[in-house]
Amino acid sequence: MIQLGYFTIDTHDIDKARAFYSALFGWTFDEAQSHPTYAHVAGAQPPFGFTKVERAKNNEHLYFRVDDVDALCERVVELGGRAAVPSDSESGRTAVVSDDQGVSFSLWQPAPGF
């Protein structure tokens, strides 16, 4: 089976991305592997980082597994992002949100057993 080994998230501003996601998820960054156009998230599995681009492609849609979708939606808005109203499905509670630069992703709170 082939599995995801690494990914990057496009952003217009590396410093803003670092600040937003650090405040939202508590992520830290590996300074030895980071530079002005790239920020490597420390200790992530699979490993990933943010890449500075002039125009974010945003071809992927990421779902971050979280414990409380509603609380994090509030935090997204506090940090200058946007959050849709969460919805429920068989797999759990989700909400599409975007960071303070307009990069869209989802928060997913799994249902029991997922």
Short mmCIF file of all heavy atoms in Angstrom, two decimals, residues 43-96:
data_model
loop_
_atom_site.label_atom_id
_atom_site.label_comp_id
_atom_site.label_asym_id
_atom_site.label_seq_id
_atom_site.Cartn_x
_atom_site.Cartn_y
_atom_site.Cartn_z
N GLY A 43 7.77 17.46 14.63
CA GLY A 43 7.19 16.25 15.20
C GLY A 43 5.91 15.74 14.55
O GLY A 43 5.25 14.87 15.11
N ALA A 44 5.53 16.25 13.39
CA ALA A 44 4.29 15.82 12.75
C ALA A 44 4.46 14.47 12.07
O ALA A 44 5.51 14.16 11.53
CB ALA A 44 3.86 16.86 11.73
N GLN A 45 3.41 13.66 12.09
CA GLN A 45 3.37 12.39 11.38
C GLN A 45 2.09 12.30 10.58
O GLN A 45 1.02 12.32 11.17
CB GLN A 45 3.46 11.22 12.36
CG GLN A 45 4.82 11.05 12.96
CD GLN A 45 5.90 10.83 11.92
OE1 GLN A 45 5.70 10.15 10.91
NE2 GLN A 45 7.05 11.43 12.14
N PRO A 46 2.12 12.25 9.27
CA PRO A 46 3.33 12.33 8.47
C PRO A 46 3.92 13.73 8.53
O PRO A 46 3.22 14.69 8.84
CB PRO A 46 2.85 11.98 7.05
CG PRO A 46 1.43 12.41 7.02
CD PRO A 46 0.92 12.17 8.41
N PRO A 47 5.20 13.85 8.20
CA PRO A 47 5.83 15.16 8.25
C PRO A 47 5.25 16.10 7.21
O PRO A 47 4.85 15.67 6.13
CB PRO A 47 7.31 14.85 7.99
CG PRO A 47 7.33 13.52 7.34
CD PRO A 47 6.11 12.79 7.78
N PHE A 48 5.22 17.40 7.54
CA PHE A 48 4.72 18.39 6.60
C PHE A 48 5.20 19.78 6.98
O PHE A 48 5.79 19.98 8.03
CB PHE A 48 3.19 18.35 6.50
CG PHE A 48 2.48 18.93 7.70
CD1 PHE A 48 1.99 20.23 7.67
CD2 PHE A 48 2.29 18.18 8.84
CE1 PHE A 48 1.33 20.75 8.76
CE2 PHE A 48 1.63 18.70 9.93
CZ PHE A 48 1.14 19.99 9.90
N GLY A 49 4.89 20.71 6.11
CA GLY A 49 5.26 22.09 6.36
C GLY A 49 4.46 23.05 5.51
O GLY A 49 3.59 22.64 4.74
N PHE A 50 4.78 24.31 5.62
CA PHE A 50 4.13 25.38 4.86
C PHE A 50 5.13 25.93 3.84
O PHE A 50 6.28 26.17 4.18
CB PHE A 50 3.69 26.51 5.79
CG PHE A 50 2.57 26.11 6.70
CD1 PHE A 50 2.83 25.48 7.91
CD2 PHE A 50 1.25 26.34 6.35
CE1 PHE A 50 1.80 25.10 8.75
CE2 PHE A 50 0.22 25.96 7.18
CZ PHE A 50 0.49 25.34 8.39
N THR A 51 4.66 26.13 2.62
CA THR A 51 5.49 26.68 1.56
C THR A 51 4.92 28.02 1.12
O THR A 51 3.72 28.13 0.85
CB THR A 51 5.51 25.73 0.34
OG1 THR A 51 6.00 24.46 0.76
CG2 THR A 51 6.38 26.27 -0.77
N LYS A 52 5.79 29.03 1.05
CA LYS A 52 5.36 30.35 0.60
C LYS A 52 5.21 30.34 -0.92
O LYS A 52 6.11 29.95 -1.65
CB LYS A 52 6.36 31.41 1.01
CG LYS A 52 5.93 32.80 0.60
CD LYS A 52 6.90 33.85 1.06
CE LYS A 52 6.43 35.21 0.60
NZ LYS A 52 7.28 36.27 1.08
N VAL A 53 4.04 30.77 -1.38
CA VAL A 53 3.75 30.88 -2.81
C VAL A 53 3.10 32.23 -3.07
O VAL A 53 2.50 32.83 -2.18
CB VAL A 53 2.84 29.74 -3.31
CG1 VAL A 53 3.51 28.39 -3.16
CG2 VAL A 53 1.51 29.76 -2.58
N GLU A 54 3.22 32.70 -4.29
CA GLU A 54 2.56 33.96 -4.65
C GLU A 54 1.04 33.80 -4.66
O GLU A 54 0.31 34.67 -4.23
CB GLU A 54 3.05 34.44 -6.01
CG GLU A 54 4.49 34.91 -5.99
CD GLU A 54 4.72 36.06 -5.02
OE1 GLU A 54 3.92 37.00 -5.01
OE2 GLU A 54 5.71 35.98 -4.26
N ARG A 55 0.60 32.65 -5.14
CA ARG A 55 -0.83 32.39 -5.23
C ARG A 55 -1.08 30.96 -4.77
O ARG A 55 -0.66 30.01 -5.43
CB ARG A 55 -1.28 32.57 -6.67
CG ARG A 55 -2.75 32.68 -6.82
CD ARG A 55 -3.07 33.16 -8.20
NE ARG A 55 -4.23 32.40 -8.65
CZ ARG A 55 -4.66 32.37 -9.85
NH1 ARG A 55 -4.04 33.03 -10.79
NH2 ARG A 55 -5.72 31.68 -10.16
N ALA A 56 -1.76 30.82 -3.65
CA ALA A 56 -2.02 29.48 -3.11
C ALA A 56 -2.90 28.69 -4.07
O ALA A 56 -3.91 29.19 -4.54
CB ALA A 56 -2.67 29.59 -1.74
N LYS A 57 -2.48 27.46 -4.36
CA LYS A 57 -3.23 26.59 -5.26
C LYS A 57 -4.44 25.99 -4.56
O LYS A 57 -5.50 25.88 -5.13
CB LYS A 57 -2.32 25.48 -5.79
CG LYS A 57 -1.19 25.99 -6.63
CD LYS A 57 -0.29 24.83 -7.01
CE LYS A 57 1.13 25.28 -6.82
NZ LYS A 57 2.02 24.25 -6.47
N ASN A 58 -4.22 25.54 -3.33
CA ASN A 58 -5.29 24.95 -2.52
C ASN A 58 -6.04 23.85 -3.27
O ASN A 58 -7.26 23.82 -3.29
CB ASN A 58 -6.23 26.04 -2.02
CG ASN A 58 -6.99 25.57 -0.80
OD1 ASN A 58 -6.55 24.71 -0.08
ND2 ASN A 58 -8.15 26.16 -0.54
N ASN A 59 -5.29 22.94 -3.91
CA ASN A 59 -5.92 21.83 -4.62
C ASN A 59 -6.34 20.70 -3.69
O ASN A 59 -7.16 19.89 -4.05
CB ASN A 59 -4.95 21.27 -5.67
CG ASN A 59 -4.69 22.26 -6.77
OD1 ASN A 59 -5.56 23.05 -7.10
ND2 ASN A 59 -3.50 22.24 -7.32
N GLU A 60 -5.78 20.64 -2.52
CA GLU A 60 -6.11 19.59 -1.57
C GLU A 60 -7.11 20.13 -0.55
O GLU A 60 -7.29 21.33 -0.42
CB GLU A 60 -4.85 19.11 -0.84
CG GLU A 60 -4.27 20.10 0.15
CD GLU A 60 -3.62 21.33 -0.46
OE1 GLU A 60 -3.05 21.25 -1.54
OE2 GLU A 60 -3.73 22.39 0.19
N HIS A 61 -7.77 19.24 0.14
CA HIS A 61 -8.60 19.66 1.26
C HIS A 61 -8.24 18.75 2.44
O HIS A 61 -8.43 17.54 2.37
CB HIS A 61 -10.09 19.58 0.95
CG HIS A 61 -10.89 20.24 2.01
ND1 HIS A 61 -11.05 21.61 2.08
CD2 HIS A 61 -11.54 19.74 3.07
CE1 HIS A 61 -11.77 21.92 3.13
NE2 HIS A 61 -12.08 20.79 3.75
N LEU A 62 -7.71 19.34 3.47
CA LEU A 62 -7.23 18.60 4.62
C LEU A 62 -8.27 18.56 5.73
O LEU A 62 -8.96 19.55 5.98
CB LEU A 62 -5.95 19.25 5.15
CG LEU A 62 -4.82 19.39 4.14
CD1 LEU A 62 -3.68 20.19 4.74
CD2 LEU A 62 -4.33 18.02 3.71
N TYR A 63 -8.35 17.43 6.40
CA TYR A 63 -9.22 17.27 7.57
C TYR A 63 -8.31 17.03 8.77
O TYR A 63 -7.58 16.04 8.80
CB TYR A 63 -10.14 16.07 7.40
CG TYR A 63 -11.26 16.30 6.42
CD1 TYR A 63 -11.02 16.31 5.05
CD2 TYR A 63 -12.55 16.54 6.86
CE1 TYR A 63 -12.05 16.53 4.15
CE2 TYR A 63 -13.59 16.75 5.96
CZ TYR A 63 -13.32 16.75 4.61
OH TYR A 63 -14.34 16.97 3.72
N PHE A 64 -8.37 17.93 9.74
CA PHE A 64 -7.58 17.77 10.96
C PHE A 64 -8.46 17.16 12.03
O PHE A 64 -9.53 17.70 12.36
CB PHE A 64 -7.01 19.10 11.42
CG PHE A 64 -5.97 19.65 10.49
CD1 PHE A 64 -6.26 20.67 9.61
CD2 PHE A 64 -4.68 19.10 10.47
CE1 PHE A 64 -5.30 21.16 8.75
CE2 PHE A 64 -3.72 19.58 9.60
CZ PHE A 64 -4.03 20.61 8.74
N ARG A 65 -8.02 16.03 12.58
CA ARG A 65 -8.75 15.33 13.64
C ARG A 65 -8.58 16.11 14.93
O ARG A 65 -7.46 16.35 15.38
CB ARG A 65 -8.17 13.91 13.77
CG ARG A 65 -8.91 13.04 14.71
CD ARG A 65 -8.25 11.66 14.76
NE ARG A 65 -9.06 10.78 15.54
CZ ARG A 65 -9.42 9.57 15.15
NH1 ARG A 65 -9.00 9.10 14.00
NH2 ARG A 65 -10.18 8.82 15.92
N VAL A 66 -9.70 16.49 15.55
CA VAL A 66 -9.69 17.32 16.76
C VAL A 66 -10.66 16.75 17.79
O VAL A 66 -11.50 15.92 17.48
CB VAL A 66 -10.07 18.78 16.43
CG1 VAL A 66 -9.08 19.38 15.42
CG2 VAL A 66 -11.49 18.90 15.91
N ASP A 67 -10.53 17.23 19.03
CA ASP A 67 -11.40 16.77 20.10
C ASP A 67 -12.70 17.56 20.22
O ASP A 67 -13.69 17.05 20.72
CB ASP A 67 -10.67 16.84 21.45
CG ASP A 67 -9.53 15.84 21.55
OD1 ASP A 67 -9.62 14.76 20.93
OD2 ASP A 67 -8.54 16.15 22.22
N ASP A 68 -12.70 18.83 19.77
CA ASP A 68 -13.87 19.69 19.95
C ASP A 68 -13.99 20.66 18.77
O ASP A 68 -13.37 21.73 18.77
CB ASP A 68 -13.76 20.45 21.27
CG ASP A 68 -15.02 21.22 21.64
OD1 ASP A 68 -15.84 21.52 20.75
OD2 ASP A 68 -15.18 21.52 22.84
N VAL A 69 -14.77 20.28 17.77
CA VAL A 69 -14.94 21.11 16.57
C VAL A 69 -15.48 22.49 16.93
O VAL A 69 -14.99 23.50 16.44
CB VAL A 69 -15.87 20.41 15.55
CG1 VAL A 69 -16.35 21.38 14.49
CG2 VAL A 69 -15.16 19.23 14.91
N ASP A 70 -16.49 22.53 17.78
CA ASP A 70 -17.13 23.81 18.09
C ASP A 70 -16.16 24.80 18.75
O ASP A 70 -16.11 25.97 18.37
CB ASP A 70 -18.36 23.59 18.97
CG ASP A 70 -19.41 22.77 18.24
OD1 ASP A 70 -20.17 23.35 17.46
OD2 ASP A 70 -19.44 21.54 18.44
N ALA A 71 -15.38 24.32 19.70
CA ALA A 71 -14.42 25.20 20.38
C ALA A 71 -13.36 25.71 19.39
O ALA A 71 -12.98 26.89 19.44
CB ALA A 71 -13.76 24.47 21.54
N LEU A 72 -12.90 24.84 18.51
CA LEU A 72 -11.88 25.27 17.55
C LEU A 72 -12.45 26.18 16.48
O LEU A 72 -11.75 27.06 15.98
CB LEU A 72 -11.16 24.07 16.94
CG LEU A 72 -10.12 23.45 17.87
CD1 LEU A 72 -9.50 22.22 17.25
CD2 LEU A 72 -9.03 24.45 18.22
N CYS A 73 -13.71 26.04 16.13
CA CYS A 73 -14.34 26.99 15.20
C CYS A 73 -14.33 28.39 15.82
O CYS A 73 -14.01 29.37 15.14
CB CYS A 73 -15.77 26.58 14.87
SG CYS A 73 -15.89 25.24 13.67
N GLU A 74 -14.66 28.48 17.09
CA GLU A 74 -14.60 29.76 17.78
C GLU A 74 -13.18 30.32 17.78
O GLU A 74 -12.97 31.51 17.55
CB GLU A 74 -15.10 29.62 19.22
CG GLU A 74 -16.58 29.36 19.33
CD GLU A 74 -17.04 29.14 20.77
OE1 GLU A 74 -16.32 29.56 21.70
OE2 GLU A 74 -18.12 28.56 20.94
N ARG A 75 -12.21 29.46 18.01
CA ARG A 75 -10.81 29.90 18.04
C ARG A 75 -10.36 30.37 16.66
O ARG A 75 -9.62 31.35 16.56
CB ARG A 75 -9.92 28.75 18.54
CG ARG A 75 -8.48 29.11 18.72
CD ARG A 75 -8.29 30.06 19.88
NE ARG A 75 -6.86 30.29 20.08
CZ ARG A 75 -6.32 31.48 20.27
NH1 ARG A 75 -7.07 32.55 20.36
NH2 ARG A 75 -5.03 31.59 20.41
N VAL A 76 -10.79 29.69 15.60
CA VAL A 76 -10.46 30.11 14.24
C VAL A 76 -10.92 31.55 14.02
O VAL A 76 -10.17 32.40 13.52
CB VAL A 76 -11.10 29.17 13.19
CG1 VAL A 76 -11.11 29.79 11.81
CG2 VAL A 76 -10.37 27.83 13.16
N VAL A 77 -12.15 31.86 14.40
CA VAL A 77 -12.69 33.20 14.23
C VAL A 77 -11.91 34.21 15.07
O VAL A 77 -11.58 35.31 14.60
CB VAL A 77 -14.20 33.22 14.55
CG1 VAL A 77 -14.75 34.63 14.55
CG2 VAL A 77 -14.96 32.34 13.55
N GLU A 78 -11.59 33.85 16.32
CA GLU A 78 -10.79 34.74 17.17
C GLU A 78 -9.45 35.07 16.54
O GLU A 78 -8.93 36.17 16.72
CB GLU A 78 -10.53 34.07 18.53
CG GLU A 78 -11.72 33.96 19.43
CD GLU A 78 -11.45 33.09 20.65
OE1 GLU A 78 -10.29 32.67 20.87
OE2 GLU A 78 -12.41 32.82 21.39
N LEU A 79 -8.88 34.12 15.79
CA LEU A 79 -7.58 34.31 15.17
C LEU A 79 -7.66 35.01 13.81
O LEU A 79 -6.65 35.16 13.13
CB LEU A 79 -6.88 32.95 15.01
CG LEU A 79 -6.49 32.27 16.32
CD1 LEU A 79 -6.06 30.83 16.08
CD2 LEU A 79 -5.37 33.06 17.01
N GLY A 80 -8.86 35.42 13.41
CA GLY A 80 -9.02 36.15 12.16
C GLY A 80 -9.44 35.30 10.98
O GLY A 80 -9.51 35.80 9.86
N GLY A 81 -9.74 34.03 11.21
CA GLY A 81 -10.20 33.15 10.14
C GLY A 81 -11.71 33.13 10.06
O GLY A 81 -12.40 33.93 10.71
N ARG A 82 -12.24 32.20 9.28
CA ARG A 82 -13.68 32.05 9.11
C ARG A 82 -14.04 30.59 9.38
O ARG A 82 -13.25 29.69 9.11
CB ARG A 82 -14.08 32.43 7.71
CG ARG A 82 -13.76 33.90 7.41
CD ARG A 82 -14.17 34.29 6.04
NE ARG A 82 -15.63 34.31 6.02
CZ ARG A 82 -16.35 34.59 4.95
NH1 ARG A 82 -15.77 34.85 3.81
NH2 ARG A 82 -17.67 34.59 5.02
N ALA A 83 -15.26 30.38 9.88
CA ALA A 83 -15.71 29.02 10.19
C ALA A 83 -17.18 28.86 9.80
O ALA A 83 -18.01 29.71 10.13
CB ALA A 83 -15.55 28.72 11.67
N ALA A 84 -17.47 27.78 9.10
CA ALA A 84 -18.85 27.43 8.78
C ALA A 84 -19.50 26.81 10.00
O ALA A 84 -18.82 26.40 10.95
CB ALA A 84 -18.88 26.45 7.61
N VAL A 85 -20.80 26.71 9.98
CA VAL A 85 -21.52 26.04 11.05
C VAL A 85 -21.20 24.55 10.99
O VAL A 85 -21.31 23.93 9.92
CB VAL A 85 -23.04 26.27 10.90
CG1 VAL A 85 -23.82 25.47 11.93
CG2 VAL A 85 -23.37 27.76 10.98
N PRO A 86 -20.76 23.95 12.09
CA PRO A 86 -20.44 22.51 12.08
C PRO A 86 -21.66 21.66 11.72
O PRO A 86 -22.80 22.04 11.99
CB PRO A 86 -19.99 22.24 13.52
CG PRO A 86 -19.54 23.56 14.03
CD PRO A 86 -20.45 24.57 13.38
N SER A 87 -21.40 20.51 11.11
CA SER A 87 -22.47 19.58 10.78
C SER A 87 -22.09 18.19 11.25
O SER A 87 -20.92 17.88 11.45
CB SER A 87 -22.73 19.58 9.27
OG SER A 87 -21.59 19.12 8.58
N ASP A 88 -23.10 17.36 11.42
CA ASP A 88 -22.90 16.00 11.90
C ASP A 88 -23.19 14.99 10.81
O ASP A 88 -24.09 15.18 9.98
CB ASP A 88 -23.82 15.72 13.10
CG ASP A 88 -23.47 16.59 14.29
OD1 ASP A 88 -22.31 16.53 14.74
OD2 ASP A 88 -24.34 17.34 14.76
N SER A 89 -22.41 13.90 10.80
CA SER A 89 -22.63 12.78 9.89
C SER A 89 -22.30 11.50 10.65
O SER A 89 -21.91 11.55 11.82
CB SER A 89 -21.73 12.90 8.66
OG SER A 89 -20.38 12.67 9.02
N GLU A 90 -22.42 10.39 9.97
CA GLU A 90 -22.12 9.10 10.60
C GLU A 90 -20.68 9.04 11.11
O GLU A 90 -20.40 8.41 12.13
CB GLU A 90 -22.37 7.98 9.59
CG GLU A 90 -22.23 6.59 10.18
CD GLU A 90 -22.54 5.51 9.16
OE1 GLU A 90 -23.51 5.67 8.40
OE2 GLU A 90 -21.79 4.52 9.13
N SER A 91 -19.77 9.70 10.41
CA SER A 91 -18.36 9.65 10.81
C SER A 91 -17.99 10.67 11.88
O SER A 91 -16.88 10.64 12.40
CB SER A 91 -17.46 9.84 9.59
OG SER A 91 -17.62 11.14 9.07
N GLY A 92 -18.89 11.58 12.20
CA GLY A 92 -18.60 12.55 13.25
C GLY A 92 -19.04 13.95 12.91
O GLY A 92 -19.87 14.17 12.03
N ARG A 93 -18.47 14.92 13.60
CA ARG A 93 -18.81 16.33 13.46
C ARG A 93 -17.70 17.03 12.68
O ARG A 93 -16.52 16.85 13.00
CB ARG A 93 -18.99 16.95 14.84
CG ARG A 93 -19.56 18.34 14.85
CD ARG A 93 -20.11 18.65 16.26
NE ARG A 93 -20.65 19.97 16.39
CZ ARG A 93 -21.85 20.36 15.94
NH1 ARG A 93 -22.62 19.47 15.33
NH2 ARG A 93 -22.27 21.59 16.11
N THR A 94 -18.06 17.81 11.68
CA THR A 94 -17.06 18.50 10.87
C THR A 94 -17.47 19.95 10.63
O THR A 94 -18.65 20.30 10.73
CB THR A 94 -16.87 17.84 9.48
OG1 THR A 94 -18.10 17.87 8.78
CG2 THR A 94 -16.36 16.43 9.60
N ALA A 95 -16.47 20.75 10.31
CA ALA A 95 -16.71 22.13 9.90
C ALA A 95 -15.61 22.54 8.94
O ALA A 95 -14.43 22.26 9.18
CB ALA A 95 -16.74 23.06 11.10
N VAL A 96 -15.99 23.20 7.86
CA VAL A 96 -15.02 23.79 6.94
C VAL A 96 -14.67 25.16 7.50
O VAL A 96 -15.54 25.96 7.84
CB VAL A 96 -15.59 23.91 5.52
CG1 VAL A 96 -14.59 24.60 4.60
CG2 VAL A 96 -15.97 22.54 4.98
#
